[in-house]
């Protein structure tokens, strides 16, 4: 995340919006320039649609909303995660938005600081972030702390703001019927199985090399019978990068035993995969 620089923030007021009284609606449109890092914040009664680049859709929209159940006011941030039908593009955009969202929140709150100073109770308001996507895994509504968490302090040498990771405080959906929950669990089970098969397929070149090294080049095995025995994050490199340890079990041989007679442990990060160790239980 780039450090927030107040001198690069350009603020404009629209629709004769005031900086004192709190009246609905009050909306924010934040865009930026990739060339020079300039930020452009428009504050008005409506979103500043002229600022939005509809080919890129990297704007950050904000609006003050009121909870119908308890009348509490909160700041709603809206992001368009998709840009086309490619889920790979959505995954990448989701990562970038999350990396830069803290900076965007600081810019919005700093840019409207006169209004907030005139309505200090709003510093205690919750920030909710709506990630809009056609893919259910990335279409989420999350809580990202309170407005006061992103208040810029000139006396700080560094911007020490909350460093939220993926889905920091997801807002749970209402309780659904047993049939609905069963269908959701079954869908998740199928998705997890597909992810496991895809992971094993990606690791197959490494697996075959280790099988031939340990058992001999003509030794048969069935990659479809391999299984992920364990998976965990072992190292974290910042908010959006981790190293994972994946343990694969495999039945090897013309008459493979009912147990995994070969266990391979991989280390995987953004730079690729490598074999940590290989075990053959029959040697014990």
């Amino acid at each position: 995340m780039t450090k927030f620089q107040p001198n690069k923030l350009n603020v404009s007021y629209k629709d004769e919006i005031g900086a004192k009284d709190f009246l609905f609606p009050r909306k924010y449109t934040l865009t930026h320039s990739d060339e020079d890092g300039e930020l452009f914040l428009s504050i008005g009664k409506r979103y500043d649609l002229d600022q939005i680049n509809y080919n890129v859709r990297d704007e950050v929209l904000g609006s003050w909303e009121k909870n119908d159940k308890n009348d509490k006011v909160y700041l709603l941030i809206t992001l368009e995660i998709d840009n086309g039908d490619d889920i790979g593009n959505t995954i990448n955009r989701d990562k970038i938005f999350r990396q830069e969202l803290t900076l965007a929140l600081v810019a919005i709150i700093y840019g409207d600081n006169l209004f907030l100073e005139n309505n200090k109770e709003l510093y205690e308001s919750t920030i909710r972030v709506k990630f809009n996507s056609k893919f259910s895994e990335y279409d989420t509504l999350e809580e990202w702390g309170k407005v006061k968490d992103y208040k810029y302090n000139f006396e700080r040498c560094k911007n020490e703001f909350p460093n939220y990771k993926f889905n920091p405080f997801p807002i749970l959906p209402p309780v659904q019927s047993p049939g609905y929950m069963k269908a959701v669990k079954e869908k998740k089970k199928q998705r997890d199985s597909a992810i496991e098969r895809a992971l094993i397929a990606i690791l197959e070149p490494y697996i075959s090399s280790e099988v031939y090294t340990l058992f001999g080049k003509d030794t048969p095995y069935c990659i479809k019978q391999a299984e992920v025995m364990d998976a965990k994050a072992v190292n974290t490199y910042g908010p959006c990068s981790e190293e994972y340890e994946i343990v694969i079990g495999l039945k090897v041989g013309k008459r493979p035993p009912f147990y995994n007679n070969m266990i391979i442990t991989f280390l995987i990060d953004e730079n690729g995969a490598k074999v940590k160790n290989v075990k053959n239980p029959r040697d014990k």
Side-chain angles (χ1 to χ4, degrees):
M1 182 192 73
T2 306
K3 182 178 179 180
F4 175 63
Q5 302 178 56
N7 62 315
K8 286 186 175 290
L9 178 63
N10 304 276
V11 181
S12 60
Y13 292 86
K14 307 286 186 179
D15 310 320
E16 299 180 351
I17 200 79
K20 185 176 181 181
D21 296 329
F22 183 26
L23 300 173
F24 289 98
R26 191 179 191 87
K27 298 179 181 290
Y28 305 106
T29 307
L30 181 69
T31 57
H32 70 279
S33 169
D34 289 328
E35 295 179 359
D36 53 21
E38 293 281 320
L39 296 170
F40 304 91
L41 176 64
S42 175
I43 305 173
K45 297 178 181 178
R46 294 175 289 273
Y47 293 126
D48 192 350
L49 302 182
D50 293 336
Q51 281 199 52
I52 298 175
N53 184 336
Y54 288 91
N55 293 321
V56 179
R57 296 310 306 266
D58 58 355
E59 75 280 355
V60 177
L61 302 179
S63 64
W64 288 99
E65 305 289 342
K66 183 178 289 188
N67 191 316
D68 293 334
K69 294 182 178 180
N70 56 23
D71 281 343
K72 286 188 176 181
V73 175
Y74 62 93
L75 179 59
L76 176 65
I77 302 296
T78 304
L79 309 169
E80 295 299 326
I81 305 301
D82 299 337
N83 190 7
D85 297 324
D86 182 6
I87 189 172
N89 189 36
T90 294
I91 293 172
N92 187 54
R93 283 170 58 84
D94 180 83
K95 178 180 178 180
I96 293 172
F97 267 117
R98 291 176 183 277
Q99 287 175 335
E100 302 298 331
L101 184 53
T102 294
L103 173 64
L105 292 172
V106 174
I108 291 173
I109 291 163
Y110 176 81
D112 208 13
N113 66 86
L114 289 179
F115 167 71
L116 289 167
E117 287 298 311
N118 283 318
N119 299 272
K120 290 180 181 287
E121 69 279 4
L122 294 178
Y123 282 122
E124 296 296 328
S125 299
T126 296
I127 296 177
R128 292 184 174 182
V129 182
K130 181 64 178 74
F131 294 83
N132 286 330
S133 173
K134 64 172 66 71
F135 303 103
S136 59
E137 298 91 336
Y138 296 92
D139 187 61
T140 61
L141 178 63
E142 302 170 7
E143 289 190 1
W144 278 59
K146 294 185 176 182
V147 172
K148 66 180 181 181
D149 295 333
Y150 302 89
K151 184 177 180 182
Y152 184 77
N153 189 334
F154 283 100
E155 296 178 357
R156 289 180 179 173
C157 295
K158 299 180 180 179
N159 290 340
E160 298 173 353
F161 298 101
N163 190 13
Y164 292 124
K165 296 184 179 181
F166 284 31
N167 300 326
F169 305 108
I171 298 175
L172 299 178
V175 176
Q176 304 289 348
S177 65
Y180 173 84
M181 295 307 298
K182 182 178 180 181
V184 169
K185 289 180 180 179
E186 181 61 29
K187 182 179 179 181
K188 184 179 184 301
K189 182 179 178 181
Q190 294 175 358
R191 183 182 65 200
D192 291 346
S193 177
I195 292 173
E196 180 175 329
R197 304 317 311 168
L199 176 60
I200 291 174
I202 291 173
L203 294 175
E204 202 278 335
Y206 301 92
I207 294 172
S208 63
S209 176
E210 297 300 328
V211 169
Y212 298 151
T213 298
L214 189 61
F215 289 93
K217 189 148 188 176
D218 296 327
T219 304
Y221 68 94
C222 180
I223 194 66
K224 287 187 177 181
Q225 293 181 354
E227 61 176 321
V228 177
M229 300 176 65
D230 192 22
K232 61 185 177 182
V234 292
N235 288 303
T236 299
Y237 310 115
C240 298
S241 181
E242 290 185 316
E243 182 182 45
Y244 302 92
E245 184 178 274
I246 309 295
V247 181
I248 303 293
L250 192 66
K251 300 174 179 63
V252 182
K254 293 182 180 179
R255 293 184 178 180
F258 62 88
Y259 63 92
N260 291 314
N261 59 337
M262 185 173 190
I263 298 173
I264 309 174
T265 301
F266 292 92
L267 292 176
I268 302 176
D269 60 19
E270 59 189 12
N271 296 316
K274 61 182 179 181
V275 176
K276 180 180 179 182
N277 59 59
V278 182
K279 296 180 180 179
N280 179 5
R282 73 178 184 178
D283 291 338
K284 292 184 177 180

